Each structure stands twice: as C-alpha cells, then as structure tokens.
Amino acid sequence: ANKEVMNPIVGQLSEDKVVYIAVEEAKRRAAYVEATLKLGQHGVPQPTGSELRELRLEYEESRDGFDAFMTAIERGYVDLPTKR
C-alpha cells in the first residue's frame, strides 16, 4: 500500500535529487548551529529566543522529513534513485 501511494508522488528519483534534499537539510542545520554559536560570542548581535526557535523548527522538520524520505527508499516504498 505504501509503495502504491508514495511511488507516484515521489516520481522518478535521481541521485542528484536525493543529494539536493540532503544539502538543503544540512543548510538548515548549519543555520541553526551558526545562530547558536553566536550566543557565546561577544560583540555580535545575539539571536533572540524566537529566532532560535524558528531555526530549530526548520532544521528539525527538514531532518525529520529527510529521515522519512530515506526510510521510504530503504523500505522499498519508492524506487531507488537512478545513477546520474
């Protein structure tokens, strides 16, 4: 049932698509970590709690989405990426 529903939604995968999603998730992680590191620096604008919260939520949601996507591939719910 999962493959029947998910495969048409995901469509044709390529290695490039999977890498692109991973890079976008990494960018969100980096933005959150970068803002957090500013908390320990003097002389730089400090992020507010709401700014940190927004960055954390963006990172966590993209991480969880990527995990769900990879699980779908690993379980065979979608066809494996094709080579470039």
Side-chain angles (χ1 to χ4, degrees):
N2 281 301
K3 184 167 182 141
E4 184 178 314
V5 172
M6 294 176 111
N7 210 39
I9 292 169
V10 172
Q12 182 65 33
L13 283 180
S14 68
E15 188 176 326
D16 287 341
K17 282 184 181 180
V18 175
V19 169
Y20 179 81
I21 294 168
V23 167
E24 290 303 311
E25 186 269 332
K27 288 178 184 178
R28 286 166 177 80
R29 179 191 313 255
Y32 178 49
V33 169
E34 179 181 36
T36 302
L37 290 171
K38 288 180 182 178
L39 294 173
Q41 296 177 2
H42 296 287
V44 298
Q46 298 291 297
T48 65
S50 31
E51 289 169 336
L52 286 171
R53 183 179 308 107
E54 182 179 329
L55 290 168
R56 177 181 51 83
L57 289 173
E58 286 185 26
Y59 157 61
E60 288 177 348
E61 291 299 329
S62 65
R63 178 199 61 204
D64 293 351
F66 185 68
D67 287 347
F69 175 61
M70 293 306 295
T71 297
I73 291 173
E74 290 165 1
R75 293 184 180 174
Y77 300 157
V78 297
D79 293 332
L80 291 175
T82 55
K83 292 287 181 186
R84 291 186 232 184

